[in-house]
Amino acid sequence: MEKVTQSGRQATALAALCLGALMFGLEISSVPVILPTLETTLHSDFKSLQWIMNAYTIACTTVLMATGTLADRFGRKRVFIVSILLFGFTSLLCGLATGTSFLIFSRFLQGMGGGAVLICSIAILSHQFREGRERARAFALWGIVSGVGLGFGPLIGGAIVAVLSWQWVFLVHVGISALTALLAFRGVQESRDPRTQRLDVWGIVFLSLAVFGLAYYITQGPDTGFTSVAGLSLLGATVVCFLIFLRVEKTHAHPMFDFSVFTVRRFSGAIIGCIGMNFSFWPFIVYLPIYFQSALGYDVVTAGLSLLAYTLPTLVVPPLAERLLLRYQPRVVIPAGLFTIGLGLLWMRYGSSVEHASWLTMLPGSLLAGVGLSLTNTPVTNTTTGSVTPDRAGMASGIDMSARLITLAVNIAMMGFLLVEGIYAYLATALPATANASSLHVMAEKIAAGHTAASVQAVPGLSAEGLSDAVVKAALVHGFGWVMLFGGVGVCVLALVSYLLFGREETRVEPVTC
């Protein structure tokens, strides 16, 4: 009877952790598909749409390293439940938002809850499921559910908007969070680490300021001026914050980033894998729904279905990635995965530029990019944690997640900038020479956010002579061409860097199913 009770408790705990992973994945992949809807209903501009996504990402980065320390000190179960309740409450705030500024603020708070849930989930899984077979099954199921959230998020988000409204993309998490907290209360065992170290507060603060400063500089640069006094001052302050962060980490007794791990070649090569995925694949998914809806004219549900080709391989390919990792080593598999992502993005660029482009012309590149991500994701996690001693695995995992989220935040801003500049470059050649640069930039941002020619022309005080739906579509395709070229070439370069960092080391890494 006791064994049955224990088994039921484990199942309850795993259900809570899987629901947490599902919600975290949905909030990354379901929100991009509703951005064009938010632009219309909340009258948001393109920069606001970027911050709706980036506020969540930056907030996750802010709490990432702190949560692990706090959970070790005050109890992982307790911090997990508090984090889940915070996520549910802030999801309610997002759903009740009537303006862009409040939604961005609520998304930041939601990101803090989501990041804390993610870190606590990993810690609880590691502590509560210790036996080999049970542990493997728990991590496998948790990983599958997380993949479902990421993979089917665009379709789920599109369906919710079609059936209900955009608010329910956030409000649905309120009930799920309450259920998750109840399951966690009943099933999760409380655990602490008596050897927990002092919280690296200043390291967290200055790293967060540096990430926010760089994202803000890229996003707002066209308005403030990249070389203006305000722009250069912001960039200088960002650099100073990063240098202070490096200094704090060198002098702190228990730094959240122990940079000595970068002397391990396998660790450094794998971290470039983390950066490559979030340099190209994940930031692009923020903008891809705009292409499907505005350039191809699909409704929100069709756009969500089209995005499945981009994300669905993340559910199918990971077992193959594990087998390849055992046979060919991470120094081969990770760079190959990054290179495959790059080929996929470049193929998508070709598919978007052909006459009568559609989801079918985008399909081969979308599938290839998704396969590349799947070949990279699990081997990266296994290699970063397997490259260091067990007592440093938590710190290595923290650097892994931080590298992902920081790169994602910066490249959401960078891809948005390139999209607008690509559209602007096309408009500068397509429209009469009388159109001034200021008007063209406003038009470019409107088009990037999903506006039609008629809605752009209706903007008071904006000269849009010669602008037609054909010009808008061509400009949008041109802008996305810039973005896909940047992502494709950039990740191929990072694949080469990763391969060189790995070197010829032959030590095998035994993968952990997760």
Side-chain angles (χ1 to χ4, degrees):
M1 181 69 177
E2 183 179 348
K3 184 175 182 180
V4 174
T5 303
Q6 177 65 17
S7 176
R9 182 171 185 173
Q10 293 291 81
T12 302
L14 185 56
L17 298 174
C18 287
L19 284 176
L22 177 68
M23 289 189 290
F24 183 84
L26 284 175
E27 277 309 286
I28 291 177
S29 64
S30 67
V31 174
V33 80
I34 70 168
L35 290 180
T37 304
L38 295 177
E39 186 275 331
T40 302
T41 56
L42 298 182
H43 307 290
S44 306
D45 58 23
F46 183 67
K47 291 183 177 64
S48 297
L49 298 181
Q50 291 177 274
W51 283 113
I52 288 170
M53 288 302 302
N54 241 348
Y56 184 87
T57 305
I58 292 174
C60 286
T61 306
T62 302
V63 303
L64 204 59
M65 303 301 293
T67 302
T69 302
L70 293 175
D72 288 344
R73 179 176 297 175
F74 297 108
R76 295 166 184 135
K77 174 180 178 179
R78 178 181 299 175
V79 175
F80 178 77
I81 292 175
V82 170
S83 302
I84 280 290
L85 293 177
L86 173 64
F87 187 85
F89 176 70
T90 53
S91 296
L92 175 63
L93 294 181
C94 290
L96 296 178
T98 57
T100 304
S101 298
F102 187 76
L103 179 58
I104 293 172
F105 173 72
S106 301
R107 283 282 286 172
F108 184 85
L109 297 179
Q110 189 191 37
M112 294 180 69
V117 167
L118 179 66
I119 292 301
C120 289
S121 297
I122 296 172
I124 292 170
L125 278 169
S126 298
H127 177 267
Q128 191 153 340
F129 299 89
R130 296 187 178 184
E131 295 183 9
R133 179 174 297 181
E134 182 188 46
R135 182 183 180 88
R137 288 177 178 173
F139 269 99
L141 184 57
W142 184 81
I144 290 171
V145 174
S146 179
V148 168
L150 290 169
F152 287 90
L155 178 60
I156 293 171
I160 290 174
V161 171
V163 175
L164 298 169
S165 65
W166 68 264
Q167 287 92 338
W168 282 97
V169 172
F170 301 106
L171 293 176
V172 69
H173 296 298
V174 178
I176 299 176
S177 296
L179 175 61
T180 303
L182 177 62
L183 292 173
F185 180 78
R186 294 177 62 87
V188 173
Q189 300 170 3
E190 186 59 281
S191 60
R192 294 178 175 84
D193 184 357
R195 301 168 299 172
T196 184
Q197 309 294 352
R198 186 163 58 91
L199 189 62
D200 183 7
V201 176
W202 291 115
I204 295 167
V205 168
F206 283 106
L207 178 61
S208 301
L209 288 174
V211 174
F212 176 80
L214 183 56
Y216 191 88
Y217 175 75
I218 296 171
T219 302
Q220 305 298 134
D223 291 338
T224 60
F226 289 109
T227 58
S228 66
V229 173
L232 291 177
S233 297
L234 176 62
L235 183 60
T238 299
V239 172
V240 169
C241 286
F242 184 69
L243 292 176
I244 293 176
F245 163 72
L246 294 179
R247 178 63 179 171
V248 167
E249 298 310 285
K250 287 186 66 176
T251 58
H252 197 280
H254 307 289
M256 63 178 184
F257 280 9
D258 181 357
F259 290 105
S260 67
V261 295
F262 287 98
T263 61
V264 180
R265 300 190 67 139
R266 285 188 296 137
F267 182 87
S268 296
I271 285 296
I272 296 298
C274 294
I275 293 171
M277 291 184 297
N278 293 278
F279 182 95
S280 52
F281 188 94
W282 288 119
F284 186 54
I285 201 175
V286 173
Y287 300 105
L288 193 51
I290 296 174
Y291 172 80
F292 281 121
Q293 293 182 58
S294 298
L296 298 183
Y298 296 154
D299 59 42
V300 66
V301 175
T302 306
L305 283 169
S306 301
L307 283 167
L308 279 181
Y310 194 67
T311 57
L312 204 55
T314 60
L315 298 179
V316 180
V317 179
L320 172 63
E322 292 185 11
R323 294 190 185 95
L324 292 175
L325 187 63
L326 283 170
R327 183 171 181 179
Y328 294 109
Q329 304 282 317
R331 67 186 180 89
V332 173
V333 176
I334 292 174
L338 293 180
F339 188 70
T340 305
I341 295 174
L343 288 181
L345 286 171
L346 294 175
W347 200 336
M348 290 173 73
R349 182 175 186 267
Y350 171 75
S352 69
S353 65
V354 300
E355 190 176 1
H356 307 303
S358 69
W359 70 272
L360 279 173
T361 63
M362 298 285 285
L363 181 62
S366 297
L367 289 173
L368 196 59
V371 168
L373 177 80
S374 304
L375 290 175
T376 310
N377 191 33
T378 303
V380 158
T381 302
N382 291 337
T383 306
T384 53
T385 55
S387 299
V388 298
T389 55
D391 62 302
R392 305 173 84 189
M395 182 271 301
S397 178
I399 294 178
D400 177 313
M401 291 303 302
S402 296
R404 295 172 189 242
L405 292 172
I406 291 170
T407 309
L408 178 59
V410 171
N411 279 281
I412 288 175
M414 191 65 197
M415 283 190 172
F417 168 75
L418 288 172
L419 178 59
V420 172
E421 290 303 307
I423 294 171
Y424 169 82
Y426 184 88
L427 294 178
T429 60
L431 295 184
T434 53
N436 59 59
S438 178
S439 293
L440 288 178
H441 263 293
V442 173
M443 279 187 270
E445 290 192 358
K446 294 290 183 183
I447 293 170
H451 278 272
T452 62
S455 60
V456 173
Q457 290 167 342
V459 177
L462 184 62
S463 174
E465 181 184 352
L467 189 67
S468 64
D469 285 333
V471 171
V472 166
K473 180 179 178 180
L476 195 59
V477 170
H478 188 262
F480 269 99
W482 280 30
V483 173
M484 286 183 268
L485 183 64
F486 167 76
V489 173
V491 74
C492 286
V493 171
L494 289 171
L496 177 60
V497 173
S498 176
Y499 181 77
L500 294 175
L501 285 175
F502 272 115
R504 296 185 175 277
E505 186 177 1
E506 297 292 338
T507 305
R508 290 188 178 272
V509 177
E510 296 297 331
V512 178
T513 305
C514 60

